[in-house]
């Protein structure tokens, strides 16, 4: 995973004008924000699963050309929070919107606006920043034009620059490339914020932990996926190049621990094997991945536990 520091990078960019800026990707849960980010970057920096609220942190994904740089901020789905974790996730959305140059509001064209869409519209309506209303999942929508009109109506009265586009982030790279070009045209003249070649500002440990959590969320049912956190506790490299990664899956109840491990350890092995394959593909290195399941009671409502798990 190629990551960059948060220091301003001016070397090599002072002889000609460069354009760069921050772009927030917002929307309710499960509309395809992370899929859109990964598609526009051409590399996977954000976790994806069919379940809502897979994203919990604001993840920065960086796209650079010699003269232009977009720093995308993929945010958790805005929703009505039920615990401290939910409040933290909504806080990530508000924090991202406070200091960006462009906003992408992603909506699901398969459905008309719901209450959570109105939550998003209420926030972005009053922000005087360029906004692109991105109607996603076009390939599966029966009445996409009507759906987009309903979403656009929620922005009535907005005074900032507003554009609209419909696409399928999962399988339409041409449309996502066009959207990326439109975003680049909206950016101000600025020096680059990250080195050319950086794909994300995440540490490799945080990125790997999210890959593991993604694979767990895909395989677990009911409430358990939302009650799981992951963290990498060690990462070492042997002389032969093998990357040895040790990680924890944190659950809230002892009964959850047994379900995550599975009969004879099968569930945990399946999670580990799938995560290891992803890591090996993206890192192009052999991986040993050791997983342990631990219990931190009611961690989603515990501010101290949230801080320990990196939600701060």
């Amino acid at each position: 995973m190629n990551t960059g520091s948060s220091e301003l990078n001016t070397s090599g960019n002072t002889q000609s004008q460069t354009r760069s800026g921050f772009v927030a990707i917002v929307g309710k849960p499960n509309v395809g924000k992370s899929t859109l980010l990964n598609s526009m970057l051409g590399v996977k920096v954000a976790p994806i699963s069919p379940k809502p609220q897979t994203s919990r942190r604001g993840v920065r994904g960086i796209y650079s050309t010699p003269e232009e740089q977009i720093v995308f901020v993929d945010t958790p789905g805005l929703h009505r929070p039920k615990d401290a974790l939910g409040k933290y996730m909504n806080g990530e959305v508000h924090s991202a919107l406070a200091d960006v140059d462009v906003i992408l509001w992603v909506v699901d064209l398969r459905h008309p606006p719901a209450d959570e869409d109105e939550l998003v519209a209420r926030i972005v309506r009053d922000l005087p920043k360029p906004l692109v209303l991105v109607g996603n999942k076009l390939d599966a929508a029966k009445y996409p034009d009507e759906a987009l009109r309903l979403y656009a109506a929620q922005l009535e009265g907005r005074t900032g620059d507003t554009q609209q586009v419909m696409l399928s982030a999962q399988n339409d790279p041409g449309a996502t490339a066009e959207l990326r070009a439109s975003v680049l045209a909206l950016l101000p003249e600025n020096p680059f914020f990250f080195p050319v070649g950086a794909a994300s500002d995440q540490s490799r440990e945080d990125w790997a932990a999210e890959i593991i959590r993604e694979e767990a969320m895909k395989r677990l049912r009911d409430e358990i996926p939302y009650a799981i956190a992951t963290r990498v506790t060690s990462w070492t490299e042997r002389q032969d190049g093998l990357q040895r990664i040790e990680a924890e899956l944190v659950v809230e109840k002892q009964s959850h621990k047994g379900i995550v491990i599975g009969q004879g350890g099968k569930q945990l092995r399946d999670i580990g094997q799938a995560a290891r394959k992803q890591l090996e593909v993206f890192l192009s290195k052999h991986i040993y991945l050791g997983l342990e399941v631990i219990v931190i009671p009611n961690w989603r409502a515990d501010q101290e536990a949230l801080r320990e798990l990196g939600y701060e």
Side-chain angles (χ1 to χ4, degrees):
M1 183 66 177
N2 186 10
T3 61
S5 71
S6 58
E7 296 179 357
L8 189 67
N9 178 33
T10 57
S11 61
N13 294 314
T14 57
Q15 296 182 355
S16 60
Q17 292 291 347
T18 57
R19 302 170 71 91
S20 66
F22 289 80
V23 178
I25 306 176
V26 300
K28 72 178 182 183
N30 214 29
V31 294
K33 299 182 295 298
S34 297
T35 300
L36 179 64
L37 171 64
N38 293 337
S39 178
M40 285 201 284
L41 295 180
V43 64
K44 185 172 184 176
V45 301
I48 297 170
S49 86
K51 296 182 175 66
Q53 300 177 25
T54 300
S55 294
R56 290 178 176 167
R57 298 182 178 92
V59 174
R60 290 177 178 176
I62 304 156
Y63 174 84
S64 302
T65 71
E67 291 83 29
E68 301 161 316
Q69 183 175 86
I70 310 175
V71 183
F72 291 104
V73 185
D74 180 33
T75 63
L78 195 67
H79 63 291
R80 300 188 188 279
K82 298 179 180 179
D83 51 37
L85 176 61
K87 291 177 182 178
Y88 165 83
M89 291 164 65
N90 279 0
E92 289 283 275
V93 180
H94 290 279
S95 176
L97 288 170
D99 193 25
V100 294
D101 301 286
V102 180
I103 301 167
L104 303 184
W105 177 23
V106 184
V107 299
D108 186 345
L109 292 174
R110 299 174 302 171
H111 309 292
D115 289 346
E116 288 174 330
D117 295 297
E118 174 58 25
L119 286 177
V120 182
R122 207 178 302 155
I123 295 171
V124 302
R125 212 165 29 217
D126 298 328
L127 294 175
K129 302 175 182 182
L131 182 146
V132 183
L133 174 59
V134 182
N136 191 25
K137 308 188 181 183
L138 175 63
D139 56 340
K142 290 185 178 180
Y143 307 104
D145 295 305
E146 178 61 25
L148 193 66
R149 279 195 293 271
L150 293 173
Y151 285 107
Q154 297 199 344
L155 297 172
E156 187 174 350
R158 189 175 192 275
T159 57
D161 177 25
T162 305
Q163 302 179 25
Q164 300 178 17
V165 65
M166 294 191 291
L167 49 74
S168 300
Q170 191 170 28
N171 52 25
D172 192 350
T176 53
E178 289 180 15
L179 173 59
R180 187 177 61 217
S182 298
V183 170
L184 284 168
L186 295 171
L187 297 182
E189 290 186 352
N190 272 327
F192 284 5
F193 296 92
F194 292 90
V196 174
S200 175
D201 68 342
Q202 296 179 97
S203 69
R204 64 180 187 176
E205 288 81 5
D206 286 345
W207 172 75
E210 291 295 86
I211 294 292
I212 297 165
R213 188 169 64 85
E214 172 192 305
E215 293 299 344
M217 290 193 74
K218 288 177 182 177
R219 288 164 175 77
L220 298 167
R221 297 180 180 179
D222 303 322
E223 174 65 11
I224 297 176
Y226 309 107
I228 283 185
T230 49
R231 58 185 174 189
V232 170
T233 55
S234 71
W235 188 319
T236 57
E237 181 173 355
R238 294 194 332 195
Q239 288 186 346
D240 60 4
L242 177 74
Q243 307 291 304
R244 185 182 181 93
I245 303 171
E246 302 285 347
E248 293 176 338
L249 286 81
V250 181
V251 296
E252 292 186 315
K253 299 177 181 179
Q254 196 67 32
S255 59
H256 290 176
K257 179 176 180 179
I259 294 171
V260 174
I261 294 173
Q263 187 173 6
K266 184 179 185 306
Q267 183 78 274
L268 190 61
R269 282 198 303 274
D270 289 347
I271 293 169
Q273 288 172 1
R276 178 180 55 77
K277 287 178 182 178
Q278 278 211 61
L279 293 168
E280 288 186 334
V281 167
F282 290 114
L283 295 173
S284 298
K285 295 181 179 179
H286 291 300
I287 303 291
Y288 168 84
L289 179 60
L291 298 181
E292 180 183 4
V293 184
I294 68 169
V295 179
I296 300 180
N298 204 29
W299 67 262
R300 286 179 293 174
D302 185 329
Q303 292 288 354
E304 183 176 347
L306 287 171
R307 283 192 293 272
E308 288 180 4
L309 294 169
Y311 299 113
E312 55 184 356

